[in-house]
Structures are given as structure tokens and as C-alpha cells.
Amino acid sequence: MRSITTDLALLAAASALLKDATASLYEARAEDPCAKIAGQSYVAPADARACLSYFPFNETLRQNVLDVVSKVFDFYTFEDYYLAPIAEFGQPAVNIRDELARINSTGYASDYAFNKDLFDVVNGLNDGHTGWYTYCYWETFQNLLPAPVISLEVDGAQDVYVVPDLVEFISLLGTEYTSYYASLGFDWARLAGARVVSIEGLPAYSYVDYIADTVSGNYLDHGVRVNSVFSSYRISGGNYSQRFGDLAGPVFPDLDNLTMEVILGNGTEPETVVIPYLAGYLGEPFTDAASYWANNCAANNETNGVDYLTQGAAAARSRATLQPRGALAASNSQGFGIPSQFVPNLTAIYGEDILWSYILPDNKTGVMFVGSFEPEDYYGFQSQVASVISTFLEAGVTQLLIDLSNNGGGYVCLGEFLHTYLAGADFGFPGYSSAVRANTLAQKIVAADIAQGINDSYAFYPPDNWAYEGNDTAMDQSYNYITPYVTRTINGVAYNESQRFYDVCTPFNVTIPAAPPFDLSKVAIVGNGDCASTCAQFSTLMYERHNTTIAIFGGKPGETMQFKGMAGEQVLEWYDIDSEIKTAGLQDDPLAPPDLLVNADFRHNWRTAYSWEDEEIPIAYYSDLPQLRFPYTPDTYMSPQALWIFAAEQIFGSSTQ
Ligand SMILES: *[C@@H]1O[C@H](CO)[C@@H](O)[C@H](O)[C@H]1NC(C)=O
Ligand SMILES: *[C@@H]1O[C@H](CO)[C@@H](O)[C@H](O)[C@H]1NC(C)=O
Ligand SMILES: *[C@@H]1O[C@H](CO)[C@@H](O)[C@H](O)[C@H]1NC(C)=O
Ligand SMILES: *[C@@H]1O[C@H](CO)[C@@H](O)[C@H](O)[C@H]1NC(C)=O
Ligand SMILES: *[C@@H]1O[C@H](CO)[C@@H](O)[C@H](O)[C@H]1NC(C)=O
Ligand SMILES: *[C@@H]1O[C@H](CO)[C@@H](O)[C@H](O)[C@H]1NC(C)=O
Ligand SMILES: *[C@@H]1O[C@H](CO)[C@@H](O)[C@H](O)[C@H]1NC(C)=O
Ligand SMILES: *[C@@H]1O[C@H](CO)[C@@H](O)[C@H](O)[C@H]1NC(C)=O
Ligand SMILES: *[C@@H]1O[C@H](CO)[C@@H](O)[C@H](O)[C@H]1NC(C)=O
Ligand SMILES: *[C@@H]1O[C@H](CO)[C@@H](O)[C@H](O)[C@H]1NC(C)=O
Ligand SMILES: *[C@@H]1O[C@H](CO)[C@@H](O)[C@H](O)[C@H]1NC(C)=O
Ligand SMILES: *[C@@H]1O[C@H](CO)[C@@H](O)[C@H](O)[C@H]1NC(C)=O
């Protein structure tokens, strides 16, 4: 199959399985804390927690969830890398099986407490390709602080600041949000551009580190997680958008307030402010606890996988997009439009969906802001890139800047497409050598797919999805690439994986120029390191194969930062791996996980990409530092255009005069 993908929004869609038994259970209790906040867009965090914590811990659900999670972890390519800490990335060791055993024997006060513990353990892997997303609790109430922060260089010194565009940004949330603060008499607007001295009693950068280690997740490298703590610009929903960042916009309503010591924009003396959070509701509508559970928490008809052989390839396609993809960065941590003064005022060559392109005032530099590799139109993206580059060339553009800030990834083959378009068709295979984990069940799946003639219209494991490593030709449908397997030793443990294979991305839908359209030494990448999945693969490929200059903005002074945020190769959502198992007819195998009883996704990194520099090391674990690092300034932190003009001058030495 060219692919199955799971749309989180779709999965979160409500089912209406209101259970009478559930209803009566909650009616028996005096007050219903969910009914109290029903229908409200914004609620105090304590009220949100009261609703989330209302559902009692349930042993049946714990056993079901742990059964699914532990059996899916059997497919996880990176499990053994967590047996030892990786100092270079600031990643502590996590013994996944010990943690699951601990969760299995811990007493919990509520179903929320159990789920949050499991979330935190998986989040602590700092791999956005792997996550426990329970739609009952995850991103239902996002805590929002009217004081997003950013690290800025001002007069030669870097410090943490409340975003200078605070008033314009927070005003975009509307009065439903701001009236709460008005009712408290809390003047958040005066914090705009304030320098933050300390947070919760810690020096500001130390508190940022703490959030990077306990909240951010997603990115293996601590330096990259630091940028995720801060507010930043991105393309989201087809438009420029400002992220709150993980300090000001965490996706659980854990905190009531944050104490900051600040020096106001016009002041000299520090003062202490206690800033209240307010949680925005992002889940499905509900009226009380029973309907909250039914609409957000109970498994629905799209939670678990299906047997595509009985449902037909059309069912696979209706769920699916067309190609394997890595994940979008898991947390959508809400943002809103960026204040209008920051939207580029240059005429866009192309500006829609995920691709925004401009020619800078020097008339030599073309900019492509690639917001993700998951466009609305998989084929359309290819012709847009071709058309933008042809417009650049006609206009005499000789150098190209690609902005990958907050690029959440997407289709593997669109990353390979962009690389191939820039490198020219003569360059050859544009991707990575990759492999999947050869656990016993995975081997049974491939054997069953081959025996039953199940092909790539139905699933990912069938051999004809992949190309032989080395000659880039599609595998024969009966070629068993996983048995015999290959054994490597990781942290002293034997790890079994398939033979290496390549992606099949060609033919692309547009003609690829034989030679590079721009001198490859005149192609550079800018970003903030929050570059997920296909974005990480694309930038690493450009760097490893072409020595492309990469300039990373932000981060913390004095700390290194990888340029690739999250570099697996391909994820399978819970629905996807379950469908692989069911389509192969193996749902009754003792190694197969049961259906989930709750509305959740357990995503895992299913396929690994190996570095060209060292073919024994997955690119996720191969250290690649950007050649250039720049702090953000008040001019560049939220203005993409100002950042591009600055970057073009620094990288290409061009002048805008
Ligand atoms: C626990 O969850 C199971 C599965 O949803 C349900 O059948 C059972 O009634 C629940 N137990 C309690 C005590 O609510
Ligand atoms: C959790 O522990 C129980 C024994 O207390 C065991 O039967 C069960 O298999 C364990 N669950 C998992 C997922 O390991
Ligand atoms: C400092 O600026 C804030 C708004 O930015 C304003 O509310 C306050 O009155 C000013 N203080 C002084 C002393 O000017
Ligand atoms: C801040 O939150 C803490 C912890 O929830 C609470 O104890 C404290 O009263 C809050 N402070 C203010 C000023 O609201
Ligand atoms: C699941 O149920 C919903 C609501 O009844 C429906 O809209 C949706 O199409 C169903 N999805 C599938 C895959 O059957
Ligand atoms: C995109 O942002 C601009 C400027 O903020 C706004 O005018 C426009 O309506 C937005 N478009 C969409 C589709 O949200
Ligand atoms: C860029 O092109 C425009 C339009 O042709 C022209 O007005 C401008 O002077 C040029 N700028 C430079 C730096 O050459
Ligand atoms: C895949 O299998 C289906 C059903 O057997 C068949 O109709 C289809 O032609 C096959 N596709 C390929 C590319 O072999
Ligand atoms: C590609 O390599 C595989 C494995 O080495 C081999 O079986 C196949 O015949 C080769 N195909 C071509 C076209 O060279
Ligand atoms: C894109 O290419 C594929 C494979 O060559 C083809 O099936 C499809 O029709 C093309 N789509 C468009 C929109 O050109
Ligand atoms: C890669 O580019 C850097 C400049 O960014 C240069 O110093 C270095 O020599 C280049 N390396 C290779 C192998 O071309
Ligand atoms: C366009 O935006 C830049 C900042 O990026 C600003 O310096 C310039 O004045 C703006 N030009 C116009 C005509 O608004």
C-alpha cells in the first residue's frame, strides 16, 4: 500500500456510545465537575483537572492499555538505544520494560493519573515518532499563559524575555480569553518585552531546561527541545502562525500559575508576578462526565485497525494518504495567526498551504518556506516546487534559502522529491538505507503477506513496497527481506532487524532536471531545529550528501544544538500496525496486541534510516551540528522576512542595498 496514515483529528472524532452503566456510575456522585465546565471554551486549570480526574482508575483498562503498549514496543526500532544515557544529546537512559512493570504495579488515584504516568514515560523518550496519545486527556485542555517566552540577543547579551509582540499576539485569542484576566484584574499586557530573571525560583534558562526535560518531548537533543519551550513562528493551517511554546502552552492543565521575576520593558528593578494559566478546551463537545467519556475516551469505530483483505483496498485508501510518512510533530501545541506586522510583505511567488516562496529585495535570493512535507495535495506540491524554481530561474535568482522552522515532517517521498529536484536526477537515489525490527511477529507478518499474495495496495510489510538496497529496484513480491534477519549489538543487547532496503518514490509527477537548478553550494537551510521526521531526513540528506550550509536560530547560549529534531524514518500509528496484523490474519497470535478499549493512539517508530556517514548508526543517533548558529533578536524572532534577509547576508554575503 502506498500507505496508511492516521489523521489525529479524525481519530478524535466523536462516537456516540453512551453507556448507561457509565452514566449511572457518575450520577451516583454528588457533583459532576465536567458538567460544571461543559460548553466553555476556556476554563481554570483546577476545574479542568477536576473533570479529568473524575474518572476512576480501572484495572481492566490498565491491563488492556499495557498489553497493547508493551506488544507495540516489540516493533520499536530504538528500544535498545535507551538502555544507556546519551550525554551528547542530553538524553537520560529509560528502561522501557522496567517502567511498564512499575506502571503495572503502581496504585493510581484516577484513570487520568495512570494515563499521565504512561504519557510521561513515553514522552521522556523524547522521540516524537513514539507516543501514547490518549484522546481522553492529551490535548483536551491546553494550558495557556499570557506570557510566552523567547531567548533574545539584546545589546550583545542573550536573555529570556516575554515575547515583545505579546499584546498583538494575545489579542488574537479574543475576549473569551482576555476577559478572564480582566475579571481577575490581572494586567498581562504590561509584561510585553519584559526581561525574565527567574521562573519558579530558578534562573530563567534553568527553568527553560526543566521544561525541555519534563514537558517538551519529541526531540532527542536537549538543545532542540529548548527551542520548543519558546514561542516561534511556523506555517500551520495554511498560514503564518505563532506557537505559544511548551512553557506557555503545555497540553495538560497541570499548573495553576507561574511565578516570574521580571524587569519590565521600561523598568530597571525586578518585580515578582504570579501569572495565572487559563486552559483552552480542544476536545469534543460534552455536557457532563458521561458524555465527556463517551465522546472523548471510549474506543470508537476508528480506534482499532481492520483487515484490509475483507474491507478491500479501497478501505485502505480511504483511511490512507498515498505514501509512507514520518510523523508530524506530535504536539500541535496551539498557536494563532502571527500578528499581521510579521507576515512577509514581499510579493509571494507562491503562498498557500505549506509552501510560501518569495524573492528577497536583493533579487538574487529565492526563499522557500516549507512548513511541512504534508501538503493537502501530494502531487500538487511537486508541481508547485517545479513552478517556483522555474520562476526563480527566470527572475535571475542564483541562490536559495529554505526555511524549515517548525517543519513537522510528512511524506517520506516528498522529502526525497525536494532533494532530488535540487540535486538533479543524475545524482541518483535520494533517500536512506532503512530497516524494520525483526521481532517474531513481524517475521510472521511478512511470511503471511508473501504466502497470501498480499501486496502494497494493502499494507506496508509486503516486499513490493520497498526497493533492494544498492540497485534501487522494487523487490520481488515473494522476496523475504526480514527472514533471515541481521543482528547488531546495541548497548550490549542483540537487536534483530530486516535486511536494508530503500524507498520506492519514483516516478515523481514532474520531470526532474538532470542537473541541479542552483549551484548546490548556493543552497542553504535555515530553521530552529524543531524539524521533524521527513524534515530531519531532508536536511540531513542535504548536509550529508552536499555539505549544505545549515543555519540554526535560537536555543540557549553556550549549548550545542542538532539541526535535525526528530529523525526516525517512518511511523506506524496504532491503527496502522493493528491493520498490518489483522490483514496478515494474525490477530489471534499470542504475540498480537488486543483491540484497545479506549480512544487513543500508540504511535511508534517502525522503520529506521541509517546515516550515509556511518551505516551502522541511525541518523537519529548520528550527531550533526549546524555550521552556523544565530540567536534571535527582537527583529528576527517572529519576522520570517527579516530573518531571511539577515540569513542571506550572513550565508551568501548578499546585500539588500
Ligand atoms: C472498567 O472498564 C471496563 C471496560 O471499559 C468496564 O467494562 C468496567 O465496567 C469498568 N469498571 C468499572 C468499575 O467501572
Ligand atoms: C501486569 O501484571 C500482572 C500481574 O500482576 C500480569 O498478569 C500482567 O501480565 C502484567 N501486564 C503486563 C502488560 O505486563
Ligand atoms: C511601563 O510600561 C507599562 C506598559 O508597558 C505601563 O503600564 C506602565 O505604566 C509603565 N510604567 C512606567 C513607570 O512608565
Ligand atoms: C498559584 O498556584 C498554586 C498551586 O496551584 C496555588 O497554591 C497558589 O494559590 C496560586 N497563587 C495564586 C496567586 O493564584
Ligand atoms: C465511524 O462512525 C462515524 C460516526 O457514526 C462515521 O461518521 C464514520 O464514517 C465511521 N468511520 C468508519 C471508518 O467507519
Ligand atoms: C492568513 O493570515 C492573514 C494575515 O494574518 C489573514 O489576513 C488571512 O485571513 C489568513 N488566512 C486564513 C486562511 O486563515
Ligand atoms: C530588484 O528588482 C526590482 C524590480 O526590477 C528593482 O526595482 C530593484 O532596484 C532591484 N533591486 C536590486 C537590489 O537590484
Ligand atoms: C494487489 O493485489 C490485488 C488483489 O489481489 C490485485 O487486484 C492488484 O492488482 C495487486 N496489485 C499489484 C500492484 O500487484
Ligand atoms: C537488485 O539486487 C537484488 C538483491 O541483491 C537482486 O536480487 C536483484 O536481481 C537486483 N536487481 C537488479 C535489476 O539488478
Ligand atoms: C502522478 O503520478 C502517478 C504515478 O505516475 C500517476 O498515477 C498519477 O496519475 C499522477 N497524478 C497527477 C495528478 O499527475
Ligand atoms: C563543507 O562546507 C564548509 C563550509 O560550510 C567547508 O568549510 C568545508 O570544507 C566543506 N566540506 C566539504 C567536504 O566540502
Ligand atoms: C516590509 O517588512 C519589513 C520587515 O520585514 C519592513 O522593514 C518594511 O518596512 C516593510 N515594508 C512595507 C512597505 O511595509
Side-chain angles (χ1 to χ4, degrees):
M1 124 177 298
R2 321 271 296 219
S3 102
I4 313 170
T5 189
T6 298
D7 180 330
L8 296 186
L10 197 73
L11 259 191
S15 73
L17 303 169
L18 209 152
K19 290 199 182 101
D20 290 340
T22 318
S24 57
L25 176 69
Y26 303 123
E27 272 159 25
R29 302 221 223 154
E31 229 188 308
D32 179 336
C34 297
K36 183 185 164 194
I37 57 172
Q40 299 180 15
S41 305
Y42 292 100
V43 302
D47 289 340
R49 290 198 304 274
C51 174
L52 297 183
S53 303
Y54 189 57
F55 305 103
F57 172 73
N58 180 317
E59 187 63 48
T60 306
L61 296 183
R62 164 159 68 182
Q63 291 309 315
N64 172 253
V65 165
L66 289 183
D67 203 6
V68 168
V69 166
S70 62
K71 285 172 175 161
V72 171
F73 264 130
D74 294 343
F75 292 88
Y76 183 38
T77 56
F78 295 144
E79 176 167 2
D80 299 324
Y81 284 93
Y82 287 94
L83 293 172
I86 305 176
E88 189 165 27
F89 297 141
Q91 173 61 47
V94 181
N95 188 313
I96 292 171
R97 304 296 164 170
D98 285 356
E99 286 296 318
L100 295 182
R102 179 186 61 76
I103 292 172
N104 195 9
S105 62
T106 298
Y108 292 101
S110 64
D111 185 56
Y112 176 50
F114 158 67
N115 275 283
K116 186 67 187 351
D117 195 5
L118 180 57
F119 175 88
D120 285 342
V121 165
V122 183
N123 195 54
L125 301 175
N126 295 312
D127 173 12
H129 280 143
T130 302
W132 172 244
Y133 306 117
T134 162
Y135 300 124
C136 192
Y137 307 113
W138 177 76
E139 279 194 355
T140 53
F141 292 95
Q142 182 183 9
N143 235 7
L144 299 172
L145 190 78
V149 295
I150 176 78
S151 176
L152 296 177
E153 185 178 79
V154 176
D155 297 333
Q158 292 181 51
D159 283 293
V160 176
Y161 289 85
V162 173
V163 290
D165 69 328
L166 185 69
V167 173
E168 296 89 336
F169 176 53
I170 292 296
S171 299
L172 293 173
L173 276 70
T175 52
E176 270 192 298
Y177 182 76
T178 56
S179 63
Y180 174 74
Y181 293 94
S183 76
L184 296 178
F186 183 84
D187 180 8
W188 50 268
R190 61 197 282 275
L191 300 173
R195 181 155 76 79
V196 183
V197 178
S198 73
I199 307 175
E200 296 290 307
L202 292 173
Y205 280 118
S206 303
Y207 190 78
V208 166
D209 284 339
Y210 166 74
I211 296 298
D213 287 339
T214 57
V215 174
S216 294
N218 286 323
Y219 307 110
L220 201 57
D221 180 44
H222 178 272
V224 173
R225 275 179 269 134
V226 161
N227 255 359
S228 177
V229 174
F230 297 132
S231 185
S232 51
Y233 70 76
R234 64 176 178 182
I235 291 173
S236 174
N239 221 337
Y240 287 90
S241 155
Q242 178 167 358
R243 272 189 87 233
F244 263 79
D246 302 330
L247 179 141
V251 298
F252 292 99
D254 292 338
L255 297 177
D256 292 313
N257 56 56
L258 210 59
T259 300
M260 285 187 186
E261 197 187 349
V262 297
I263 299 175
L264 293 186
N266 52 6
T268 49
E269 294 303 310
E271 71 170 273
T272 298
V273 284
V274 181
I275 312 169
Y277 279 96
L278 186 62
Y281 184 63
L282 305 171
E284 295 297 323
F286 64 95
T287 54
D288 55 12
S291 57
Y292 183 91
W293 184 271
N295 297 344
N296 290 293
C297 314
N300 61 50
N301 62 344
E302 293 173 355
T303 301
N304 295 296
V306 297
D307 175 355
Y308 287 129
L309 280 190
T310 57
Q311 304 257 324
R317 280 195 207 94
S318 78
R319 284 285 311 186
T321 44
L322 292 138
Q323 293 284 348
R325 35 158 269 193
L328 292 182
S331 176
N332 299 320
S333 180
Q334 217 178 341
F336 294 82
I338 57 173
S340 56
Q341 75 266 29
F342 297 127
V343 175
N345 56 23
L346 294 166
T347 306
I349 302 293
Y350 185 87
E352 249 179 70
D353 192 18
I354 59 161
L355 180 65
W356 293 70
S357 296
Y358 309 86
I359 296 174
L360 295 187
D362 65 8
N363 295 338
K364 291 186 294 195
T365 311
V367 172
M368 288 170 62
F369 188 1
V370 184
S372 85
F373 286 97
E374 185 148 308
E376 280 168 17
D377 181 348
Y378 178 86
Y379 300 111
F381 177 77
Q382 301 177 32
S383 32
Q384 288 146 20
V385 166
S387 142
V388 163
I389 288 179
S390 127
T391 305
F392 282 166
L393 293 173
E394 281 160 25
V397 163
T398 53
Q399 51 204 27
L400 177 67
L401 206 55
I402 302 172
D403 191 343
L404 298 177
S405 297
N406 285 314
N407 181 310
Y411 301 106
V412 172
C413 284
L414 288 184
E416 296 192 11
F417 164 77
L418 186 56
H419 170 261
T420 256
Y421 207 95
L422 296 172
D426 291 347
F427 182 77
F429 179 66
Y432 282 103
S433 170
S434 67
V436 295
R437 190 167 174 180
N439 68 49
T440 305
L441 185 55
Q443 292 184 67
K444 287 182 181 181
I445 294 170
V446 175
D449 286 347
I450 291 172
Q452 296 172 71
I454 296 169
N455 64 28
D456 69 354
S457 304
Y458 292 98
F460 283 116
Y461 274 108
D464 62 339
N465 270 302
W466 313 115
Y468 296 104
E469 186 190 33
N471 64 22
D472 196 16
T473 51
M475 286 178 186
D476 189 274
Q477 210 176 307
S478 64
Y479 181 76
N480 194 325
Y481 60 95
I482 198 170
T483 308
Y485 52 75
V486 177
T487 301
R488 294 193 300 124
T489 302
I490 302 168
N491 284 322
V493 173
Y495 172 78
N496 300 332
E497 65 182 342
S498 70
Q499 296 163 32
R500 299 290 178 89
F501 54 85
Y502 282 176
D503 287 285
V504 181
C505 294
T506 52
F508 291 116
N509 278 70
V510 299
T511 306
I512 305 289
F518 304 100
D519 177 349
L520 279 165
S521 70
K522 295 283 187 182
V523 175
I525 292 172
V526 296
N528 65 347
D530 289 14
C531 166
S533 199
T534 297
C535 177
Q537 288 155 31
F538 170 75
S539 43
T540 310
L541 203 52
M542 293 298 289
Y543 175 77
E544 291 193 341
R545 309 305 303 275
H546 311 293
N547 197 26
T548 297
T549 299
I550 301 182
I552 294 298
F553 285 74
K556 223 176 77 199
E559 181 178 44
T560 63
M561 207 172 149
Q562 302 286 312
F563 61 72
K564 54 175 182 280
M566 182 205 300
E569 170 78 2
Q570 185 179 348
V571 296
L572 292 187
E573 311 294 345
W574 159 244
Y575 182 96
D576 298 330
I577 186 67
D578 195 31
S579 296
E580 294 284 328
I581 294 166
K582 286 172 173 165
T583 301
L586 290 164
Q587 65 272 28
D588 296 327
D589 191 282
L591 297 170
D595 276 359
L596 263 180
L597 299 176
V598 292
N599 180 21
D601 181 21
F602 185 51
R603 165 189 297 169
H604 76 288
N605 193 69
W606 174 73
R607 181 156 67 102
T608 294
Y610 285 93
S611 171
W612 289 100
E613 303 289 336
D614 181 341
E615 297 191 349
E616 289 301 299
I617 302 184
I619 58 172
Y621 289 88
Y622 192 82
S623 173
D624 281 320
L625 298 173
Q627 298 97 327
L628 298 171
R629 276 281 301 278
F630 298 106
Y632 286 109
T633 65
D635 287 337
T636 57
Y637 79 100
M638 200 49 59
S639 169
Q641 182 172 319
L643 185 141
W644 301 328
I645 290 171
F646 170 82
E649 286 169 359
Q650 297 293 318
I651 297 169
F652 303 123
S654 63
S655 157
T656 51
Q657 302 313 307

